[in-house]
Amino acid sequence: NAGVTQTPKFQVLKTGQSMTLQCAQDMNHEYMSWYRQDPGMGLRLIHYSVGAGITDQGEVPNGYNVSRSTTEDFPLRLLSAAPSQTSVYFCASHRGGSRFEQFFGPGTRLTVL
Amino acid sequence: DAKTTQPPSMDCAEGRAANLPCNHSTISGNEYVYWYRQIHSQGPQYIIHGLKNNETNEMASLIITEDRKSSTLILPHATLRDTAVYYCIVSPVQGGSEKLVFGKGTKLTVNP
């Protein structure tokens, strides 16, 4: 299993540009999440999904959209990039119920100029 | 969600036990204690979790006080590769979905 994969690894955007961060998992996990991590800070939850077709907001959802059309994929869209969205983005997946182990991807480092 | 308090940094000698404390005085009865770690620039890694009993796995031990207001993560024989930021998180299981809220954690440095 590849686990959780994220693309791209690095990205530089100009203010106002849009882009999609890709996340995929091959573990058949129902739950997937997106987090951002700013320098010296812990992770903050952006959006999460409890299954295909179901998404919900986390702590810091503004400026981001998500959709979940398949179990495997959970893309994160930046609608109009702003410098405040410069961060490292992590995608995670896990099984629900009694499983508490979230598997994280390697991250996407995004810089917005 | 309950808040946690962790020291910002700790040091440990290689080969010795690392004991990382966490206070969660407002924890509710249905909230679990989770520990994750993040090695430099990598995604976080799950370590262990517990509700009220002490837990042990191949990575670490988790000791939860009887009143559940604090816990300690123990790495029995720390190595240089255990240098990382360790996060203590409390979170309920809501409808089968675990929502983890990460704080700033404890930066553990294992010294040779």
Side-chain angles (χ1 to χ4, degrees):
Chain A
N1 286 349
V4 179
T5 58
Q6 292 184 237
T7 57
K9 286 186 168 50
F10 301 94
Q11 182 70 49
V12 178
L13 292 177
K14 294 181 180 178
T15 297
Q17 287 185 314
S18 62
M19 79 159 295
T20 300
L21 279 63
Q22 301 292 343
C23 174
Q25 54 92 8
D26 61 358
M27 297 172 282
N28 202 31
H29 287 169
E30 302 95 327
Y31 301 94
M32 297 186 73
S33 305
W34 275 103
Y35 296 85
R36 62 176 287 176
Q37 185 173 35
D38 300 318
M41 303 287 289
L43 280 75
R44 291 185 291 171
L45 181 65
I46 305 172
H47 285 285
Y48 67 99
S49 169
V50 301
I54 306 170
T55 64
D56 205 348
Q57 296 181 351
E59 292 178 79
V60 288
N62 293 339
Y64 307 94
N65 273 359
V66 292
S67 59
R68 184 98 178 269
S69 57
T70 68
T71 299
E72 295 78 19
D73 300 299
F74 190 42
L76 178 72
R77 296 183 188 84
L78 279 70
L79 308 174
S80 177
S84 61
Q85 293 178 305
T86 293
S87 190
V88 181
Y89 292 83
F90 291 101
C91 179
S93 75
H94 65 288
R95 277 193 286 267
S98 60
R99 293 297 298 271
F100 304 97
E101 181 180 358
Q102 292 204 18
F103 293 83
F104 283 80
T108 293
R109 284 148 184 80
L110 175 69
T111 301
V112 183
L113 302 175
Chain B
D1 293 343
K3 303 277 189 203
T4 62
T5 304
Q6 298 178 254
S9 63
M10 293 183 64
D11 285 277
C12 176
E14 188 177 20
R16 304 298 294 269
N19 297 284
L20 291 90
C22 180
N23 285 321
H24 31 79
S25 58
T26 60
I27 192 170
S28 300
N30 68 337
E31 290 183 314
Y32 288 74
V33 180
Y34 307 78
W35 283 85
Y36 280 74
R37 73 180 183 183
Q38 187 174 23
I39 297 170
H40 179 64
S41 298
Q42 298 180 19
Q45 176 189 24
Y46 165 84
I47 301 173
I48 199 167
H49 76 276
L51 183 61
K52 55 183 178 181
N53 296 322
N54 297 338
E55 302 288 345
T56 295
N57 63 19
E58 65 278 3
M59 290 182 67
S61 295
L62 174 61
I63 309 297
I64 302 174
T65 58
E66 192 168 345
D67 62 8
R68 303 209 323 124
K69 293 186 177 181
S70 65
S71 61
T72 301
L73 179 74
I74 301 173
L75 307 178
H77 305 286
T79 71
L80 299 179
R81 287 177 294 181
D82 292 322
T83 291
V85 177
Y86 287 77
Y87 297 98
C88 169
I89 303 162
V90 295
S91 184
V93 175
Q94 296 173 330
S97 170
E98 298 87 36
K99 294 166 63 175
L100 301 178
V101 178
F102 288 76
K104 294 186 179 181
T106 295
K107 173 77 166 96
L108 175 69
T109 302
V110 180
N111 300 305

